[in-house]
Amino acid sequence: MSASGLWQHLFTRQSKSKKPASAPLPEQIDAIRQRAISGHHLEQVLWGKVLLNSAYVRSDQAQALVWFTIAANAGYGPAHNMLGRCHHFGWGCEKNLQQAAQHYETAARLGDEWGRYNLGILTMRGLGMPQDLKKALRLFTTAAHNGHAKSMNLLARFLEEGWETPQDKAAALVWYRKSAEGGDYRGCHNYATALADAGRIQDALRWWRQALPEATSDILLAMDRALSRLGKAADPALFAALQVRMQSLSAQPRPTP
């Protein structure tokens, strides 16, 4: 679809779906929308993300896809990453891992580290393409050196396990620490686990506390096993907060990412 066709599609959808709003958009969210309409690529991607899943507007994945496409057609790397995610998970379109990989590849080529990371995930797992651990390692290494915290965690995992690279647990620990300091909850958990294995229990507990607010169910379960081995007396407050998070997560439907 041409750029003019995309704009026509977008505003046709807006006019057809227009209805009285229950509340005005917060000023900062409306500012994103207005800048998106004015042609700013960053805000086009941000507005698309709002349309995917937000408390402020009704979810409209198809319209989000249009905004990502407009920015991607202008050569904006983060927009290609979001198109990749749409095709990866079937948001507003048919799920298509091959197309997802193509958009992630374009995002990576344009310097987007999230695109590089997401392409690495598909490559590592053999989704939409043959599995290629060497290529995945190259992607995670580049993104890690460019400051991407989740890629740092995966580079550390490759080094820890010796996947397609000489095993180097000391280097893995360094990258787990960098990932944790960069705010990745998986990096926090993995760094905490390594610290606990080295007998540095109080340091480990501090990083598990950092991991807890954002951790997904797999990390929560891993934390529960680790803290159970230590004994809940090691940090009763952390152990109690972990149980609350696990119960809350299991009781609620999983939100759209």
Side-chain angles (χ1 to χ4, degrees), residues 11 31 67 84 87 123 136 146 188 226:
F11 289 115
W67 283 109
H87 289 289
T123 305
N146 288 339
C188 290

Side-chain angles (χ1 to χ4, degrees), residues 54-66:
S54 168
Y56 304 116
V57 297
R58 185 178 62 186
S59 175
D60 190 336
Q61 294 181 351
Q63 194 171 1
L65 185 73
V66 172

Side-chain angles (χ1 to χ4, degrees), residues 134-209:
K134 287 184 178 180
K135 180 178 178 180
L137 175 60
R138 289 196 301 271
L139 290 163
F140 295 138
T141 300
T142 299
H145 282 280
N146 288 339
H148 191 260
K150 286 189 175 295
S151 296
M152 293 174 187
N153 175 63
L154 280 165
L155 172 57
R157 184 67 187 278
F158 273 73
L159 289 164
E160 182 181 24
E161 302 295 340
W163 294 337
E164 301 298 338
T165 188
Q167 189 177 51
D168 189 338
K169 293 192 175 183
L173 187 63
V174 170
W175 282 108
Y176 280 139
R177 175 180 57 78
K178 289 182 176 182
S179 176
E181 290 172 348
D184 178 47
Y185 65 87
R186 292 182 186 276
C188 290
H189 167 70
N190 288 329
Y191 187 44
T193 300
L195 292 171
D197 290 344
R200 297 170 58 183
I201 303 303
Q202 291 305 312
D203 288 336
L205 291 169
R206 178 167 67 89
W207 286 108
W208 273 319
R209 291 186 206 108

Side-chain angles (χ1 to χ4, degrees), residues 236-248:
L238 175 60
F239 190 84
L242 173 62
Q243 304 312 307
V244 170
R245 273 233 59 209
M246 291 177 68
Q247 291 170 9
S248 174

